[in-house]
Amino acid sequence: MMSEVLLQVEQLSVAFPRSRQADRGGNETVWAVDQVSFSLQPGERLGLVGESGCGKSTLGRAMMRLLPANSQVEGRILFDGRSVLDLHPPALRRFRGEDVALIFQDPMTRLDPLMTIGDHCLETLQAHQPWLSRAQAKELAIATLAAVHIPANRWSQYPHEFSGGMRQRVAIALALLLNPRMIIADEPTTSLDVTVSAQILRELTRLCAERQMALLLISHDLALVGEYCDRIAVMYNGKFVETGAAASVLSHPQHEYTRSLLQAALHVQVEDSSLVFRPSLSEERISDEQSLTVQNLKSKIQNSEPLLKLQNLKKHYVLEQNLISRLLAGSSQAIKAVDSINLDIYPGETLGLVGESGCGKSTLSRTILHLVQPTSGRVEFLGRNLTELSRRSLRQQRRQMQMIFQDPHACLNPMMTVGDSIADPLLIHKLATPAEAKKQVLAMLERVRLTPAATYYSRYPSELSGGQQQRVAIARALITHPQLVICDEPVSMLDATVQAQVLDLMAELKQEFNLTYLFITHDLWVARYFCDRIAVMQSGQIVELGPTQDIFSHPQHPYTQTLLQAAPLLAKSSVGTAGDDYGS
């Protein structure tokens, strides 16, 4: 008989091995999780929110016993009356997956790059349910993949052939395969668009109700947690500072830190649609002369030459098939990642590119930079067709085109110091001597508010928080003073407070360095807050393009309307009255 409480955490404290604490205060124990207590009942959904580094993920991994060796753990974790900390290896293996499944923020933590998606599914089922035949296991796996919108024809592909969002969907499917009694979801929708996020979370909440499956949803998205969770726990500096019913916490926050999180989230989700360049103007500096109306934006576009011009740009991938499959199909199947894109980006504007995961946003950005070769079409930058340039000329043009990645680890070498990473583009393009490069790097570190600059110059990426790493990535992209910066989900992995800070910083840098941004995001409210125009992408094509105000006020395409309806919004929920409580 199942006990009333499925999970009971009592006075849990976690400290990492001593070597990790050396830079944080000598021999004193630093608790990443500090005397946390809570419980979860079957079918209950608890949302855990807080800034990066507060201990959310550490708490989730402690419950799965996935902490580094020699970590110090105190307190108790009881699952259905059994002590998780006392489980022997065979029982622990069954516990992971069959009782509790963990969905990681980075899907590549779960996926082996040398295994196909199908092999991942079969391996999981064969390890825990060896009585299933291969055909039965494949049938179950395909049905589970379909539930997260991964079609059966992707069964034999590898993780690198999927977009970031699609890899996350696979990771979620793997967690659902064994029908666990509880799921710990650590930022499971960070890289997913709003429609797929809503679909998956609706599916998770439905399963919680039907199967009495508990859910611990770790997220920095307050609107999402408020919409899909029964209760919310706010974590700060390793402790729970506030817990309660979701509606109550969001509408009447008691703790000062909770109020600051809500203020940061509402700052991005501002309802003021009269401005286009909102983040570049603080509330104190907004004036009639500074505000850029839709009419002014249209006039500016009509009187300017495009900085970047895409004409009938295509990038198609051919799915590898065996000989029998090709004979039956008559030809090889192709994925039209970018399909006949025509788009102009004008100097000084921020063009937002939104759409579901797998729609081709990131492929388009890489095709523009020629990190992948286009199948056909033209990419004109500063009047030159990049598709016709030699390798040397293209490299010179890339000085004027830089990219900020979703994950700063994608561009930061863990073996190089922050200073060396930022200076690298200057040395590659022979724009400065090592001594001159160091001066420029220190100045740029100051500009992105990593101070004291000399201290950050000698640090390694692993010694920085997620927000600090993203600031380093921004500094590295701007060090060559480019004209166009392509931002691929640059704030999606950051909590609400840091996200608002980084967006405001990027807006200030845009004005100071006269930058043009192509801003790729699945977060519609970030796009509304930050972008002048928005292009909506679906299945490799631009289905709607226009000023931000027009897109949000009068969406024309059914897909755009679907995106807007699916986007969780704090102001539409009970938190709509919270501003009166804390002066927002």
Side-chain angles (χ1 to χ4, degrees):
M1 179 176 176
M2 182 181 293
S3 62
E4 185 178 356
V5 175
L6 182 64
L7 175 74
Q8 182 77 45
V9 176
E10 299 176 354
Q11 297 294 306
L12 182 66
S13 296
V14 177
F16 289 115
R18 185 74 63 185
S19 60
R20 296 196 176 192
Q21 301 172 19
D23 297 330
R24 298 182 60 186
N27 294 325
E28 183 181 354
T29 299
V30 178
W31 296 104
V33 175
D34 192 3
Q35 295 190 333
V36 167
S37 299
F38 69 97
S39 62
L40 265 177
Q41 296 179 348
E44 188 177 17
R45 305 184 302 274
L46 173 66
L48 181 57
V49 300
E51 65 188 359
S52 58
C54 72
K56 303 188 303 294
S57 296
T58 301
L59 177 59
R61 283 159 175 73
M63 288 187 283
M64 296 287 288
R65 286 181 55 182
L66 292 174
L67 295 172
N70 302 322
S71 295
Q72 188 175 344
V73 180
E74 297 181 359
R76 295 206 305 167
I77 304 172
L78 302 176
F79 186 84
D80 202 12
R82 295 178 301 160
S83 173
V84 174
L85 299 179
D86 295 328
L87 291 178
H88 296 296
L92 181 61
R93 181 176 182 180
R94 289 192 298 271
F95 170 78
R96 295 173 180 159
E98 295 179 29
D99 287 328
V100 181
L102 175 61
I103 302 171
F104 294 93
Q105 178 177 8
D106 180 4
M108 290 310 293
T109 306
R110 173 67 178 84
L111 301 178
D112 186 333
L114 300 180
M115 292 174 61
T116 66
I117 300 307
D119 287 340
H120 278 94
C121 296
L122 294 177
E123 180 189 58
T124 300
L125 288 170
Q126 288 166 357
H128 290 270
Q129 299 177 0
W131 57 87
L132 291 177
S133 68
R134 184 178 178 87
Q136 290 173 323
K138 184 173 182 178
E139 182 180 0
L140 174 59
I142 287 177
T144 307
L145 289 170
V148 295
H149 304 279
I150 300 294
N153 64 358
R154 309 298 293 271
W155 176 266
S156 299
Q157 289 190 280
Y158 291 86
H160 74 270
E161 298 178 278
F162 284 66
S163 69
M166 294 183 76
R167 286 197 290 262
Q168 187 63 290
R169 289 188 239 174
V170 172
I172 293 171
L174 291 172
L176 294 174
L177 268 179
L178 300 175
N179 191 21
R181 297 168 63 190
M182 176 179 168
I183 285 184
I184 301 174
D186 189 356
E187 302 278 7
T189 60
T190 293
S191 56
L192 301 181
D193 59 275
V194 291
T195 51
V196 175
S197 294
Q199 291 162 359
I200 287 175
L201 286 170
R202 280 197 297 265
E203 180 71 10
L204 280 176
T205 53
R206 183 185 66 80
L207 290 171
C208 286
E210 290 182 359
R211 306 179 186 180
Q212 286 297 284
M213 182 175 67
L215 173 66
L216 177 62
L217 177 60
I218 301 171
S219 178
H220 63 259
D221 190 331
L222 290 170
L224 181 142
V225 167
E227 186 168 338
Y228 292 101
C229 292
D230 307 312
R231 290 191 297 137
I232 290 179
V234 182
M235 197 168 187
Y236 177 70
N237 199 26
K239 297 177 180 290
F240 276 14
V241 297
E242 185 166 356
T243 59
S248 176
V249 171
L250 292 179
S251 60
H252 301 288
Q254 301 300 308
H255 196 275
E256 181 180 353
Y257 177 66
T258 309
R259 293 195 290 268
S260 71
L261 284 179
L262 286 167
Q263 284 177 326
L266 288 169
H267 177 57
V268 172
Q269 293 193 356
V270 63
E271 290 285 357
D272 181 6
S273 61
S274 63
L275 297 175
V276 179
F277 282 108
R278 275 177 291 278
S280 61
L281 307 172
S282 66
E283 293 182 4
E284 295 79 9
R285 291 188 290 137
I286 291 175
S287 66
D288 292 337
E289 290 77 16
Q290 288 173 308
S291 63
L292 181 61
T293 65
V294 172
Q295 188 59 43
N296 291 337
L297 177 62
K298 292 178 179 177
S299 175
K300 179 180 178 181
I301 290 175
Q302 290 172 355
N303 297 321
S304 302
E305 285 295 322
L307 178 70
L308 179 72
K309 190 177 185 67
L310 309 180
Q311 294 180 310
N312 201 30
L313 188 64
K314 298 180 181 180
K315 179 58 184 178
H316 296 176
Y317 293 97
V318 177
L319 288 175
E320 292 293 336
Q321 297 177 302
N322 59 40
L323 178 60
I324 295 176
S325 298
R326 285 200 299 268
L327 289 174
L328 291 174
S331 61
S332 296
Q333 291 182 303
I335 297 175
K336 298 180 179 180
V338 175
D339 191 19
S340 302
I341 294 290
N342 293 287
L343 185 65
D344 295 338
I345 302 178
Y346 292 87
E349 79 163 329
T350 299
L351 177 69
L353 184 63
V354 303
E356 63 188 358
S357 59
C359 73
K361 302 188 302 294
S362 295
T363 302
L364 177 60
S365 69
R366 286 157 175 74
T367 306
I368 291 171
L369 290 171
H370 275 56
L371 298 178
V372 296
Q373 291 297 315
T375 303
S376 63
R378 291 171 63 89
V379 179
E380 290 187 10
F381 178 68
L382 293 174
R384 302 185 69 184
N385 183 8
L386 301 187
T387 60
E388 297 176 349
L389 295 183
S390 66
R391 194 169 182 176
R392 181 177 180 180
S393 298
L394 182 61
R395 185 177 182 181
Q396 292 175 341
Q397 283 292 90
R398 284 202 183 121
R399 288 171 45 186
Q400 302 293 334
M401 308 165 69
Q402 291 294 320
M403 191 163 187
I404 301 172
F405 294 90
Q406 176 180 7
D407 182 0
H409 287 294
C411 66
L412 299 180
N413 187 330
M415 304 302 292
M416 294 174 66
T417 64
V418 165
D420 289 340
S421 290
I422 299 175
D424 205 32
L426 291 174
L427 301 178
I428 289 173
H429 291 288
K430 300 179 180 179
L431 299 177
T433 64
E436 293 169 344
K438 184 173 182 177
K439 291 181 181 179
Q440 293 184 39
V441 170
L442 290 171
M444 187 61 74
L445 285 171
E446 292 279 352
R447 190 61 199 86
V448 298
R449 299 177 193 156
L450 289 175
T451 55
T455 300
Y456 283 96
Y457 186 94
S458 58
R459 288 185 180 178
Y460 288 89
S462 62
E463 299 175 287
L464 306 180
S465 69
Q468 291 171 336
Q469 289 176 355
Q470 197 60 282
R471 289 171 188 265
V472 173
I474 291 170
R476 190 178 193 274
L478 298 186
I479 197 67
T480 60
H481 296 279
Q483 294 192 43
L484 175 67
V485 179
I486 299 176
C487 313
D488 191 358
E489 303 276 8
V491 296
S492 67
M493 298 179 71
L494 305 178
D495 60 83
T497 306
V498 179
Q499 187 181 84
Q501 293 169 355
V502 171
L503 286 173
D504 286 341
L505 172 64
M506 291 177 65
E508 291 177 14
L509 295 172
K510 175 179 182 289
Q511 300 293 325
E512 181 176 338
F513 292 100
N514 194 28
L515 300 172
T516 301
Y517 285 139
L518 173 59
F519 193 86
I520 300 170
T521 181
H522 65 262
D523 190 326
L524 294 178
W525 307 118
V526 167
R528 180 183 188 180
Y529 173 77
F530 194 71
C531 301
D532 309 323
R533 290 192 300 150
I534 289 180
V536 182
M537 195 169 183
Q538 182 187 31
S539 301
Q541 298 182 328
I542 302 294
V543 297
E544 188 163 357
L545 172 67
T548 301
Q549 180 179 334
D550 287 355
I551 294 292
F552 277 83
S553 301
H554 306 289
Q556 300 299 309
H557 196 275
Y559 178 67
T560 310
Q561 296 167 2
T562 301
L563 285 179
L564 291 173
Q565 290 167 0
L569 177 63
L570 282 168
K572 292 192 294 188
S573 65
S574 57
V575 78
T577 58
D580 298 331
D581 296 330
Y582 52 84
S584 177

